[in-house]
Amino acid sequence: MACWYEGPLAAFDTETTGVDVETDRIVSAAVVVQDAPGSRPRATRWLVNPGVPVPEAATAVHGLTEEHLQRNGRWPAPVMQEIVEELAAQTAVGRPIVVMNAPFDLTLLDRELRRHRASSLDHWFETTPMLVLDPRVLDKHLDRYRKGRRTLTDLCAHYGVTLDGAHDAGADALASLEVVRAVGRRFAARLERLSPAELHTLQAVWHAAQARGLQAWFARSGSEEAVDPAWPLRPDLPAAA
């Protein structure tokens, strides 16, 4: 039987108005599905008119202007419904969901569901939990002493994955999926006997340890920046926008 990293995977990514999961909004998203390594991926994409200003700094990253989104994007409520339905459908057939830096994208989606659908991400996965594979958490745990940054671009370069069109949700989702496959192969001796469900549980532990380490580093550097140990979803804040 093939190992999980040689089997069917799905991947999810977003582009946003900024980096605050409580107040920023999704402007584009994609779910990419691949049945096996080398097989043709299938992508579902969404473009969203967030209904709020799109900062120039965000446009500089993903290239989506406020005017373009107003003209071509759809209203958030139906889009968020479609995104979570697609993730639930992939989960229902047993596909793990690859999400690079999962607490960011999944928390943003959760807040958008609360904002526009009076729902939550947890509600959709009460019966069949989403099994998340986060290339950032996996790489940082399995190769913890490697120097350098661990953005998606960095991981693609390190694992020899082609990233065409960085900061496009579909391109980033596919690249994240390929990075996870590459991580699985490189560390097969440590991963091949673990199921996606076991890995999901372990990643929560690994991410918490990584967060504590980063928090300690910030403290030594005199920074008051807080690092949330929750993975793959940050808890809801009463004051969420």
Side-chain angles (χ1 to χ4, degrees), residues 38-62:
S39 67
R40 185 173 182 175
R42 306 184 299 277
T44 305
R45 300 168 181 268
W46 295 268
L47 194 65
V48 186
N49 177 359
V52 299
V54 180
E56 291 183 4
T59 297
V61 173
H62 49 60

Side-chain angles (χ1 to χ4, degrees), residues 24 145 157 210 236:
D24 280 306
Y145 300 114
Q210 293 162 9
D236 184 37

Side-chain angles (χ1 to χ4, degrees), residues 6-20:
E6 303 292 0
L9 294 174
F12 172 60
D13 190 75
T14 67
E15 297 300 328
T16 68
T17 60
V19 297
D20 188 330

